Amino acid sequence: MNNWILLFTNNINIKDVGKPSMPSLEDRIAELVCAQFEELPAKSRPTVNGDGTRGWVPLSGIVVIRDNEEAECVALATGMKCMPSSKIPQARGFVLHDWHAEILAIRGFNAFLIQECHSLANSPGCTSPYIRHRVPDEISNSRGLQPFTLQENLKIQMYCSEAPCGDASMELVMSAQEDSTPWPVPIEDQGEDNIGAPLNGRGYFSQLGRVRRKPSRPDSPPTLSKSCSDKLALKQCTSLLSSLASLLVSPENVYIDKLILPSSHHVPTACERAFGATGRMQPLTDKQWAGGYRYHPFEIQTAEREFRFSQRGAEVVGQSLKASNISALWTPRSQETLINGVLQGRKQIDPRGASSVCRLKTWRAVLDIAALLAIPALTRALSSLSYAELKDTELLKDRRRVKEETRELALAGWIRNVGGNFELPVDRDAENHLL
């Protein structure tokens, strides 16, 4: 209940944005997300360590703006870690692979929409300010069976306290180097016809417009998880919906309209190169696909407001910095604190540490909704024996084509993570015992 009270307390009416002395809309969106974070319990925040260093962490939030000019934060997250490729097979659907703030916030947004779908499916007379049932004509005129769609009066904006890792932040990486001399490019990456594997997160920083892996320390186990710049670029084509959520909700209007970054962490040329129609996404300009998918480049705006646990926030008070291993996840319906992709206090190998946004719980939640709706084709697809089979279902054919063409035309060099397949327990009691 407290989260719902905070939700409405932190709503913003933006009719007065243009008046003198009023902060910009972007600053008010940033303030909304930061204020919601401040309401989280202390265990969800970075701490001052025993050696006097202060923890810092990126924050991302997803905000919806209604026609009546009211803004509402519907998901936020902090985090800056991901799982090494060697440990992916151990995740078994209950450990998150990537909990960078941007990706975790998007997972939270998807979980929130799925919960809204459950409420509508479970109570036929219920309504939601976020989604609605699609009418039969809408479903018959589209290839998908999705029974729900986002309310048309909503626009989606995303706030990030740091420039997304990867291509959108490479100039910032360069400027932070004591020696900004470009590194020699690996032989296998040289030549126009051989772009090679995705580059290390911060390595070979003079190579721009490239798909990159998540940044990490040189001594960290390698990962194939793609940078947040690359994943957000792809989301401009697939929408914010995950594959599972896209079985329930039409993607047509679930695209980010505006990405808000701190002015201190915004390099216009980098962002246009990473996301814009004149950068690496240019081959997709005006591209549309079946199923309601399209290339929808988001507008990028800046805010002066700084998150107090950002790198700059800590520098203001003169404290040394240390990356925090604590991640927070909040939606109007749930709140979690995570470490290493599982709930704080649980070991990574313990299924009881599964986050509400993990693949296993998301699969089960969508299957439960399909059962309530009694849509045979949807139920059959969700009753697949494995997660890999589910992702290969005919109902996701349009989405797979979008991803394949986007990677081929704009995000070449994208190598998929492998080894993350798992099965959904047939016995619900056994599953409950497992989790």
Side-chain angles (χ1 to χ4, degrees):
M1 176 63 73
N2 287 338
N3 280 342
W4 283 106
I5 293 173
L6 293 170
L7 171 69
F8 291 111
T9 300
N10 287 330
N11 280 359
I12 294 176
N13 190 298
I14 60 176
K15 291 181 178 179
D16 297 328
V17 165
K19 292 183 178 180
S21 77
M22 289 295 292
S24 68
L25 169 60
E26 290 74 26
D27 273 308
R28 300 184 75 184
I29 295 297
E31 177 62 34
L32 172 64
V33 176
C34 291
Q36 186 63 68
F37 175 84
E38 294 295 339
E39 300 293 344
L40 299 183
K43 68 176 184 178
S44 297
R45 307 177 200 173
T47 60
V48 176
N49 303 298
D51 59 3
T53 59
R54 176 176 174 172
W56 76 276
V57 70
L59 167 70
S60 289
I62 294 178
V63 172
V64 295
I65 297 183
R66 296 184 171 85
D67 285 344
N68 66 357
E69 299 185 320
E70 180 182 77
E72 180 181 331
C73 181
V74 293
L76 70 77
T78 61
M80 54 192 306
K81 305 289 183 181
C82 66
M83 179 174 279
S85 297
S86 60
K87 289 192 174 182
I88 293 292
Q90 302 172 27
R92 295 179 290 162
F94 65 83
V95 183
L96 302 180
H97 294 184
D98 180 353
W99 51 99
H100 277 225
E102 296 92 329
I103 309 310
L104 191 55
I106 292 172
R107 281 193 169 275
F109 177 65
N110 275 270
F112 176 63
L113 291 183
I114 290 170
Q115 290 168 325
E116 289 294 303
C117 290
H118 186 275
S119 294
L120 294 189
N122 195 45
S123 303
C126 179
T127 60
S128 166
Y130 311 101
I131 61 170
R132 64 168 176 82
H133 285 280
R134 291 210 291 172
V135 299
D137 284 348
E138 289 178 296
I139 297 175
S140 63
N141 291 333
S142 67
R143 184 165 176 165
L145 291 176
Q146 301 102 328
F148 302 104
T149 188
L150 197 73
Q151 293 281 10
E152 284 79 4
N153 68 330
L154 299 181
K155 298 295 183 183
I156 300 173
Q157 299 193 7
M158 186 173 191
Y159 165 76
C160 299
S161 68
E162 313 283 336
C165 65
D167 199 47
S169 59
M170 294 317 297
E171 280 83 351
L172 295 169
V173 172
M174 293 183 213
S175 66
Q177 305 298 314
E178 292 184 9
D179 179 5
S180 58
T181 303
W183 299 2
V185 180
I187 294 176
E188 62 270 21
D189 279 338
Q190 296 178 8
E192 293 182 1
D193 297 327
N194 185 11
I195 53 84
L199 293 172
N200 290 333
R202 301 187 186 94
Y204 310 101
F205 45 77
S206 63
Q207 298 296 297
L208 304 177
R210 295 285 299 273
V211 171
R212 292 178 174 272
R213 298 190 291 271
K214 285 287 199 293
S216 61
R217 298 195 314 267
D219 59 345
S220 297
T223 179
L224 277 177
S225 185
K226 264 57 68 183
S227 75
C228 291
S229 289
D230 298 322
K231 290 187 175 183
L232 287 175
L234 182 61
K235 289 295 183 185
Q236 293 183 121
C237 299
T238 63
S239 83
L240 280 181
L241 297 175
S242 65
S243 57
L244 285 165
S246 72
L247 291 171
L248 296 174
V249 182
S250 170
E252 291 178 298
N253 54 349
V254 195
Y255 287 88
I256 299 172
D257 279 325
K258 185 183 294 185
L259 180 69
I260 300 171
L261 301 176
S263 58
S264 61
H265 244 221
H266 174 234
V267 180
T269 54
C271 289
E272 180 61 26
R273 182 184 64 241
F275 307 119
T278 63
R280 60 180 178 172
M281 306 298 284
Q282 188 275 332
L284 299 171
T285 301
D286 298 326
K287 182 72 173 177
Q288 296 186 40
W289 293 270
Y293 294 101
R294 68 190 190 280
Y295 168 51
H296 181 81
F298 42 66
E299 179 186 355
I300 298 178
Q301 295 291 338
T302 61
E304 297 303 317
R305 210 287 194 192
E306 291 279 4
F307 177 46
R308 75 181 180 102
F309 291 105
S310 71
Q311 287 180 295
R312 279 85 56 210
E315 289 169 354
V316 167
V317 295
Q319 292 177 303
S320 299
L321 298 174
K322 186 173 183 180
S324 175
N325 67 341
I326 298 173
S327 295
L329 173 63
W330 176 91
T331 76
R333 287 178 173 264
S334 64
Q335 189 272 318
E336 295 178 348
T337 304
L338 307 166
I339 294 180
N340 292 329
V342 296
L343 296 177
Q344 187 180 46
R346 294 290 183 182
K347 294 182 178 179
Q348 204 173 44
I349 58 173
D350 185 353
R352 293 173 297 177
S355 166
S356 62
V357 301
C358 73
R359 292 179 175 183
L360 181 60
K361 287 194 173 183
T362 302
W363 185 358
R364 173 58 70 186
V366 176
L367 179 58
D368 288 346
I369 294 169
L372 287 170
L373 295 170
I375 302 176
L378 190 55
T379 303
R380 282 195 302 271
L382 289 160
S383 299
S384 302
L385 294 178
S386 71
Y387 190 71
E389 289 182 6
L390 172 59
K391 293 291 287 289
D392 200 42
T393 180
E394 180 70 16
L395 293 181
L396 291 174
K397 182 178 179 179
D398 290 336
R399 190 176 190 274
R400 286 196 302 274
R401 183 180 179 187
V402 174
K403 294 175 72 173
E404 289 166 0
E405 291 192 5
T406 302
R407 291 167 178 168
E408 177 184 352
L409 297 174
L411 301 175
W414 186 299
I415 297 178
R416 295 177 61 186
N417 258 324
V418 295
N421 195 25
F422 63 95
E423 296 181 357
L424 186 69
V426 177
D427 185 342
R428 188 63 178 266
D429 292 334
E431 180 184 336
N432 291 335
H433 178 71
L434 174 70
L435 298 176

